[in-house]
Amino acid sequence: MELVGIDPAVKDQIYKLASSGLCSGLPGQIMMSLMVRGPKPGDVSYESHEKEKAAIFASLKRRSKIVSEGLNSIPGFSCQAAQGSMYCFPSVEIPEGAQKAAAEEGVPPDTLYAISLLENTGICVVPASGFGQKPGRFGFRTTFLPSEKEMERAVELFAKHHEEFCAKYDA
């Protein structure tokens, strides 16, 4: 949201109000509390709950590996394995031509990259520049919550997009 010509104090309150929509309401917080506690040993559903939880956790680990190793296989990408979050945060080499184009558009290079990725693949990522990066470090944050099959396909699309993006701006 862009607010132009608005008193800074009013702008702060509007942004605060908009941000409050990012937090869950009371019913969501109650359900989350019930969900994370789970059944106790001896409860009827304890064993099935533990099996489900272990299967989900194992799948998340596999998906994390699919994405981090897949991104690392792309020339120009460097990605650390996830250490407890559900995100991968690769560093991406962006051609000088793309950096110049981004400067002309008044956006960070990784924002230009993220928009191109969305327009060309449908994959939505968050540019690293939104998290405050060292100068010259470009990249994005992406989740690995979709299914393993979808994550394998996403890695293919990341690689194809990066190759095409670099070819476009490497002139």
Side-chain angles (χ1 to χ4, degrees):
M1 159 184 353
E2 182 178 9
L3 300 174
V4 179
I6 305 291
D7 180 271
V10 173
K11 187 188 289 188
D12 288 344
Q13 294 304 313
I14 291 172
Y15 282 134
K16 189 186 299 182
L17 178 63
S19 296
S20 71
L22 299 174
C23 301
S24 83
L26 184 61
Q29 291 178 25
I30 291 170
M31 295 308 290
M32 182 59 71
S33 174
L34 292 172
M35 184 181 75
V36 298
R37 283 194 210 138
K40 296 179 180 17
D43 288 351
V44 174
S45 60
Y46 179 76
E47 286 185 31
S48 64
H49 174 77
E50 290 301 303
K51 284 180 188 175
E52 278 185 45
K53 189 168 69 172
I56 291 168
F57 184 66
S59 178
L60 283 170
K61 287 179 11 180
R62 287 190 303 271
R63 286 180 265 170
S64 171
K65 187 174 181 178
I66 289 167
V67 176
S68 61
E69 290 181 0
L71 293 177
N72 275 327
S73 73
I74 301 169
F77 273 63
S78 176
C79 185
Q80 301 287 324
Q83 296 290 317
S85 68
M86 291 177 277
Y87 301 104
C88 285
F89 207 110
S91 176
V92 180
E93 293 176 12
I94 295 184
E96 283 294 321
Q99 293 180 46
K100 288 178 184 170
E104 290 170 7
E105 291 185 31
V107 297
D110 49 13
T111 297
L112 178 75
Y113 190 90
I115 291 169
S116 173
L117 183 67
L118 179 62
E119 290 174 343
N120 290 290
T121 68
I123 297 174
C124 183
V125 297
V126 181
S129 56
F131 298 95
Q133 300 296 299
K134 293 187 289 187
R137 197 256 187 218
F138 308 114
F140 56 83
R141 184 184 78 178
T142 187
T143 186
F144 50 83
L145 289 176
S147 73
E148 292 172 46
K149 186 173 183 170
E150 289 173 301
M151 295 316 315
E152 289 168 355
R153 177 69 179 135
V155 168
E156 293 170 5
L157 291 172
F158 281 125
K160 182 177 185 285
H161 172 265
H162 190 66
E163 183 179 331
E164 292 171 355
F165 184 86
C166 289
K168 176 180 178 179
Y169 289 106
D170 241 354

